[in-house]
Amino acid sequence: MAVPDISAPTKNQPRFTPSPECRSPAPAPPLTDSQTATLDALRTHIHDSVAKTDAHRRWADDPCLVRYLKSKKWNLQDSKQALQDTILWRDQYKPDTPDKDSIWIETTPGKLYVSGFDKESRPLLYMRPRLENTAASIAQIRHVVFHLEVAIAIMPEGVQSLCIVIDFAGASMTKNPGVAISREIIHILSNHYPERLGKGYIIHAPWFFFPFYKLISPFIDPVTKDKINFVDMKKQKPRSIASTPSSASVSEVDLSSSAVATSGSKKAPLLPTAGSGSDNVNLLDVIPDDMLDQAFGGLSDYIYDQEIYWNEAEKVLAKSRYVLEHGSSPGAVAA
């Protein structure tokens, strides 16, 4: 678990270190004998027959292998192929080495950025579609991958997933990503970043989001859908009275439910109320107030600055690459 940085960051400094309120992740449940045997077989195959470098083997550590096995329902052959495909993709795509020239314009407005952690120590990836500044392109996909890699690079030890907060306030149909781009992003997420989504919150969802979601829903794994929830900010409670999850009233709804509006309707689906059978959560129950953006009831006053964010992101990515290449952090080597 990373040691919390108690120094006060500047408003333009992204929060890449958990706060004291962030918990150490709970230990993963023990594997069954059958799962252990499958993991051993997958490790032997990938490390001996697929990985060409020590960096490949360090990347394909046991937590990584388990994530792929879970995503493939512990099917050994499917997991072998998926990992082989990802290793090849990472060699060619180089997702942890962003090309500044190709995505710099994408980073201009701060439509995506990583800053802060939820109480499970999962990095927060904020998305604000209203700030979309480019047309659909491969650069948009690379931009998403860039932030995913940043989130992974700052994950404390034992943390395997991130939390995504999508704020549709002020968004319009013209700013909505196209179906083709969305499908490609979903493809990359499901194939090369399996089991990386810990929780997703959709805030201020507009009416046009729901027919759009119906179009891309068939391409989203059911397990992933269960992790995505709508948040009704009108029912957000301040932290002073949001002491326990049971007292919360921000509704969550499974996006695969029949409540999703049809493309001919301009009314968003009604969010279920407490006691309707859905889970309920208050954002301040799951995200520390100093990590949660002020727009959502938190205390974080972080203001995105393109140059500062890029420089800080480059640092954590460079450190992550160094660890993969050398097996230890630069500081450990120097010591």
Side-chain angles (χ1 to χ4, degrees):
M1 181 70 181
V3 177
D5 183 1
I6 60 175
S7 60
T10 65
K11 289 185 177 181
N12 299 122
Q13 197 78 12
R15 278 61 165 171
F16 284 173
T17 306
S19 71
E21 198 174 344
C22 298
R23 297 184 289 264
S24 298
L31 301 180
T32 65
D33 291 343
S34 174
Q35 289 172 337
T36 299
T38 302
L39 173 60
D40 290 343
L42 180 62
R43 185 193 310 111
T44 298
H45 174 76
I46 295 300
H47 286 202
D48 294 350
S49 303
V50 177
K52 296 180 174 61
T53 66
D54 287 339
H56 286 162
R57 296 180 185 90
R58 293 189 185 101
W59 174 83
D61 59 8
D62 278 8
C64 173
L65 300 179
V66 169
R67 285 190 294 103
Y68 276 79
L69 284 166
K70 285 182 177 179
S71 73
K72 299 302 180 183
K73 308 297 188 290
W74 291 87
N75 182 291
L76 179 59
Q77 295 306 317
D78 289 350
S79 299
K80 286 180 178 180
Q81 186 61 54
L83 277 156
Q84 180 175 318
D85 291 345
T86 295
I87 290 174
L88 178 61
W89 176 80
R90 292 187 68 86
D91 280 348
Q92 297 175 343
Y93 201 89
K94 301 187 183 305
D96 57 352
T97 309
D99 179 4
K100 188 173 184 178
D101 291 338
S102 67
I103 66 171
W104 181 248
I105 189 173
E106 301 289 341
T107 68
T108 301
K111 58 191 177 185
L112 275 73
Y113 62 82
V114 175
S115 181
F117 298 76
D118 71 3
K119 290 188 178 181
E120 301 298 322
S121 297
R122 295 177 292 215
L124 298 175
L125 171 56
Y126 287 99
M127 299 183 175
R128 289 185 163 90
R130 71 176 180 274
L131 298 178
E132 183 57 72
N133 63 323
T134 60
S137 68
I138 298 299
Q140 286 187 345
I141 299 173
R142 284 192 170 274
H143 183 229
V144 173
V145 169
F146 163 60
H147 292 287
L148 287 173
E149 289 290 327
V150 171
I152 293 169
I154 67 171
M155 286 178 182
E157 184 178 354
V159 175
Q160 291 290 311
S161 59
L162 69 154
C163 177
I164 298 178
V165 180
I166 308 177
D167 178 20
F168 277 95
S172 64
M173 290 185 67
T174 58
K175 301 282 187 178
N176 217 32
V179 173
I181 289 294
S182 297
R183 285 178 58 181
E184 181 60 24
I185 291 174
I186 292 170
H187 170 79
I188 289 176
L189 291 177
S190 61
N191 286 277
H192 303 308
Y193 297 91
E195 300 292 314
R196 282 300 195 186
L197 178 63
K199 207 67 174 176
Y201 299 106
I202 297 178
I203 305 174
H204 301 125
W207 68 266
F208 57 80
F209 170 80
F210 303 104
F212 170 78
Y213 183 82
K214 289 188 71 175
L215 292 175
I216 64 172
S217 182
F219 306 100
I220 303 178
D221 184 86
V223 175
T224 299
K225 289 181 186 178
D226 289 340
K227 299 176 181 178
I228 305 175
N229 306 277
F230 291 124
V231 173
D232 185 355
M233 289 304 297
K234 293 180 181 179
K235 297 180 180 180
Q236 178 78 51
K237 288 185 178 181
R239 188 164 188 250
S240 59
I241 58 174
S243 57
T244 63
S246 61
S247 70
S249 63
V250 176
S251 297
E252 294 187 352
V253 58
D254 183 353
L255 291 179
S256 64
S257 72
S258 59
V260 175
T262 62
S263 59
S265 170
K266 292 188 178 183
K267 293 183 179 180
L270 296 175
L271 294 176
T273 57
S276 65
S278 69
D279 294 329
N280 295 290
V281 66
N282 194 62
L283 285 179
L284 287 171
D285 284 327
V286 294
I287 301 175
D289 51 9
D290 63 331
M291 297 274 104
L292 181 63
D293 194 293
Q294 289 180 349
F296 312 125
L299 298 178
S300 174
D301 58 356
Y302 173 65
I303 299 175
Y304 176 83
D305 179 280
Q306 183 185 24
E307 193 73 42
I308 293 176
Y309 184 88
W310 182 273
N311 290 339
E312 293 303 309
E314 284 264 80
K315 290 178 185 177
V316 298
L317 290 176
K319 181 178 179 180
S320 179
R321 292 193 301 269
Y322 189 97
V323 170
L324 283 180
E325 290 293 332
H326 301 280
S328 59
S329 66
V333 173

